[in-house]
Amino acid sequence: SLAEAVTGDGPMAARSALGLAAGLAESLCAIHAAGVVHCDLKPSNVLLSPDGPRVIDFGISRAAGPGMSTVSAAGVGWVTGSPGFMSPEQALGGEIGPPSDVFSLGAVLTFATTGRGPFGRGSRPELAYRLVYGPPDLGEIPAGLRPLVERCLAKDPDQRPTAGEVLDAANDGQPAPGWLPGPALGALADELAEVAEIAPIIRGAVALPADNPGGEPTRFVMTFRT
């Protein structure tokens, strides 16, 4: 996850962060086009891969519904989320829509490039208060990315860019080959090596019996513990 990569290997450089911004913005474009608000975009819900990031965990996502651009945060379960990454309107229990996810994207990009959220550290009430009323601390963000992050973190949802505009600002494209930081790429290589080792075992387990090539495959359950 992005959280593990930054915590273990340090903040991303500007080039990698722009690739992250483009990939996440593209994901949000697809999510919002489907009429869904993710509601919980944060570093632990972003997985890194050589061809771009992946957004996971739609456990508290909400569908805005036909003809609706927002959904009430009441009942979404925001109190179980991370105050440092949710939007002010979500924290206040108001109406949320795609701009809420864009705010979270700005917070995620801040974490990716500085190793901390835009509203610092502290207790949940302290973070929630700064989130709603305080300015974000963007001083350590690379200069080329800072104006975009600042727009994403606007308190007023109407002042934030859309996910499509973020994608345009991040060079309107997929993360280029080599966008992933070296340590994260090395960790992924180790994971892929392990998968390659067990792949023949899985293929053998699902093979049909030689004396019954037209029969039904055996039903089985395999559990993997990592």
Side-chain angles (χ1 to χ4, degrees), residues 22-35:
L24 292 179
E26 186 176 36
S27 295
L28 289 181
C29 285
I31 291 168
H32 297 161

Side-chain angles (χ1 to χ4, degrees), residues 28 32 36-37 64 69-70 96-103 160-161 163:
L28 289 181
H32 297 161
V36 174
V37 184
S69 60
T70 61
I96 59 174
S100 179
D101 286 341
V102 171
F103 185 96
R160 298 171 202 153

Side-chain angles (χ1 to χ4, degrees), residues 2 43 48 51 53 63 66 80 83-84 86 88-89 91 101 108 131 137 150 154 160-161 176 182 188 202 207-208:
L2 176 63
L48 304 179
D51 61 346
T80 64
M86 69 178 67
E89 60 268 28
D101 286 341
V108 167
L131 173 75
D137 181 2
E150 189 172 19
R160 298 171 202 153
L188 284 171
I202 297 175
L208 294 174

